[in-house]
Structures are given as C-alpha cells and as structure tokens.
C-alpha cells in the first residue's frame, strides 16, 4: 500500500485496559486485527501488553488520516489515567484535548 493510500484510510485511536488495570493507548488502520494481535500475545503484540491479557477496549475514535491520529495519540498519552478514564466514559471529549478532528 502506498503512503498516499495509507493517509487516505480511516485511522483509529484506541485505549485498552489490561488485566492489571493499567491503560494502553495506540493507533491502527485496522482496529479488529490490532486488538486480536494484542489479545493473542503474538509477536505482533505490543511489548507492554505481553502477559497483561485479557484486554478490554474501553475507548476508540476514528480519524480521517494517520497524521491526525498520531497527533491525537501523543496528546492522549500525556493524559493521566484518570483523564483517560474520563475520555473513555465520554466526560472528556477528544476535541477538548486535541485539535485534530
């Protein structure tokens, strides 16, 4: 897939809750595939998540391209766990923290 096609795809920002209660934030252009990779503890699973399954997806939102998703991911990763939980519960809106939609 060319870079131009990747930029035109829908990208997803997601937050996962691990079995130990910690939170993990990431982006992908295929939410189902990426969640399955993380959940399966496969070699494609993020290192942080290895051994922390089962995982629960507590939040996800879409962006029109990878650049916007990356910018939002950086801002979400700077949030505290409490702020991420507010985002997941709908009490904090991504537009309030990221100028990205």
């Amino acid at each position: 897939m060319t870079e131009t096609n990747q930029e035109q795809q829908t990208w997803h920002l997601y937050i996962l809750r691990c079995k130990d209660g910690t939170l993990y934030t990431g982006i992908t252009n295929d939410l189902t595939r990426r969640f399955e990779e993380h959940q399966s503890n496969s070699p494609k699973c993020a290192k942080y998540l290895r051994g922390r399954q089962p995982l629960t997806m507590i939040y996800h939102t879409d962006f029109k391209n990878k650049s916007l998703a990356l910018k939002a991911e950086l801002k979400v990763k700077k949030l505290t766990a409490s702020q991420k939980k507010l985002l997941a519960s709908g009490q904090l809106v991504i537009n309030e923290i990221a100028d990205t939609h």
Side-chain angles (χ1 to χ4, degrees):
M1 185 173 295
T2 66
E3 192 65 34
T4 304
N5 287 342
Q6 283 184 355
E7 281 300 310
Q8 293 173 351
Q9 286 182 339
T10 298
W11 281 78
H12 313 274
L13 168 75
Y14 59 92
I15 301 175
L16 304 177
R17 182 186 310 114
C18 305
K19 74 176 179 183
D20 62 5
T22 59
L23 301 176
Y24 175 85
T25 303
I27 64 166
T28 184
N29 59 2
D30 186 337
L31 197 57
T32 302
R33 174 193 50 81
R34 193 64 179 134
F35 182 72
E36 289 171 1
E37 288 172 354
H38 289 321
Q39 191 75 292
S40 71
N41 217 14
S42 75
K44 292 186 176 186
C45 172
K47 250 184 202 177
Y48 179 81
L49 296 174
R50 293 197 182 137
R52 295 179 192 258
Q53 293 81 2
L55 306 170
T56 305
M57 186 166 306
I58 63 168
Y59 178 79
H60 67 88
T61 191
D62 299 339
F63 292 89
K64 60 185 176 184
N65 61 50
K66 185 177 182 179
S67 176
L68 293 177
L70 279 169
K71 288 174 187 174
E73 179 189 26
L74 288 173
K75 292 192 178 192
V76 170
K77 284 186 172 187
K78 291 178 183 178
L79 297 177
T80 65
S82 297
Q83 289 171 319
K84 289 177 187 176
K85 288 175 186 171
L86 288 174
L87 182 63
S89 71
Q91 296 176 357
L92 182 64
V93 179
I94 194 89
N95 289 341
E96 294 173 6
I97 59 156
D99 214 12
T100 55
H101 267 297

